[in-house]
Amino acid sequence: MAGENLVRPKGFKAKLQNFWYHYKYHSIVFLLAIVTLAVSIAQCATKTNYDYKIIVATRSMTLSSIQLDAVQKELKQYGEDLNGDGEVNVLLVDCTMDSNQSDFQTAYGKQQKLQVLLMGDPEAMLFLTDKSCLKWINSLNEETQFIDNLGLPDNDGKGFCVGNTHIIQKPKAEVKAELNLRWPEDLSICCRKIDGTTFEKNEDADQSKREALEFIARIVKSNTK
């Protein structure tokens, strides 16, 4: 038979060459899968696990990453290590725009992002927003509204204005060397409503709401004379 005349490769090098000849593409695919898995594991291991997510939403002006980073440092002081990783991490989600100056694509994209967070993210409880955006958010559902009335000092009980506190004033002073940076004076910390919404029986939303209320309470206490 023809198979009886086949010569088996001898020696490690010969066997390796024979294996590579027959399984080259299988080996490449396998190696790529291993590399992809290793990268994914590394990214998960180094990914920041945030304790708080705060949606910064404006319609009066767009805030730069420099401004948001500076505000984030101030807000971090009011957080707690909720996940037990030894540090407090606060994520600011940028939904800021200028309804008069932002180009249509940018404004539409941020508006869509804000709506997605409102409709589908049980961790999106805390909002730092100006009056015009607060009004727009509540207009999305005029019957129940999205921002909760907590009996806070501003915005008919729906917010606590931080414009005159260190949360805004300190970053404003630190980045004053940057040209053409404007700061909204009417930013308020607010919390979304879950009663009467799709999140009403969501345990994650309920937990996030309790943590958000405690976060706001610390801000109010520290910045009220």
Side-chain angles (χ1 to χ4, degrees):
M1 295 178 64
E4 294 177 351
N5 296 322
L6 293 176
V7 178
R8 294 178 178 273
K10 296 181 180 179
F12 176 76
K13 184 177 180 181
K15 291 180 179 179
L16 182 61
Q17 290 175 336
N18 183 65
F19 176 85
W20 181 250
Y21 176 79
H22 290 288
Y23 299 103
K24 175 170 59 177
Y25 296 108
H26 300 77
S27 300
I28 292 174
V29 171
F30 177 75
L31 289 173
L32 287 174
I34 292 295
V35 171
T36 301
L37 179 61
V39 171
S40 298
I41 292 174
Q43 289 177 336
C44 290
T46 58
K47 183 180 179 181
T48 301
N49 190 6
Y50 292 99
D51 299 290
Y52 299 90
K53 178 186 292 185
I54 302 176
I55 316 305
V56 186
T58 64
R59 290 175 72 83
S60 59
M61 64 187 67
T62 302
L63 299 181
S64 69
S65 59
I66 295 174
Q67 291 171 295
L68 292 172
D69 288 344
V71 172
Q72 182 268 340
K73 292 178 182 177
E74 298 304 309
L75 288 170
K76 185 176 179 178
Q77 301 175 29
Y78 299 101
E80 293 183 342
D81 179 16
L82 300 176
N83 54 39
D85 64 357
E87 58 182 333
V88 177
N89 289 300
V90 176
L91 172 66
L92 297 191
V93 181
D94 181 14
C95 292
T96 66
M97 66 172 183
D98 187 330
S99 58
N100 295 318
Q101 296 184 10
S102 296
D103 64 85
F104 175 79
Q105 186 173 359
T106 298
Y108 181 77
K110 289 191 175 182
Q111 184 171 289
Q112 288 296 103
K113 180 167 70 171
L114 179 55
Q115 286 182 291
V116 169
L117 290 165
L118 285 166
M119 302 294 184
D121 191 343
E123 295 181 355
M125 289 290 149
L126 287 164
F127 288 78
L128 191 62
T129 179
D130 61 11
K131 289 182 179 180
S132 59
C133 194
L134 175 59
K135 183 178 180 180
W136 181 82
I137 290 172
N138 278 330
S139 73
L140 295 174
N141 190 333
E142 294 184 352
E143 183 177 352
T144 62
Q145 303 194 339
F146 278 105
I147 302 301
D148 207 354
N149 187 334
L150 303 174
L152 294 170
D154 305 300
N155 298 316
D156 298 322
K158 298 181 178 68
F160 179 76
C161 187
V162 298
N164 292 323
T165 72
H166 71 94
I167 295 172
I168 299 300
Q169 293 303 316
K170 188 174 179 181
K172 188 176 180 180
E174 289 178 350
V175 299
K176 64 182 179 180
E178 298 292 333
L179 298 177
N180 301 320
L181 288 183
R182 298 185 299 148
W183 293 84
E185 299 296 334
D186 60 346
L187 282 179
S188 292
I189 189 75
C190 311
C191 187
R192 72 155 295 157
K193 181 188 294 184
I194 60 173
D195 293 340
T197 72
T198 55
F199 290 150
E200 188 170 14
K201 296 182 180 180
N202 186 305
E203 293 183 2
D204 291 336
D206 189 56
Q207 178 66 26
S208 296
K209 180 66 178 279
R210 289 196 297 270
E211 294 165 352
L213 293 178
E214 293 171 357
F215 186 87
I216 292 176
R218 287 190 288 271
I219 291 178
V220 174
K221 182 179 180 180
S222 296
N223 294 281
T224 302
K225 297 180 179 179

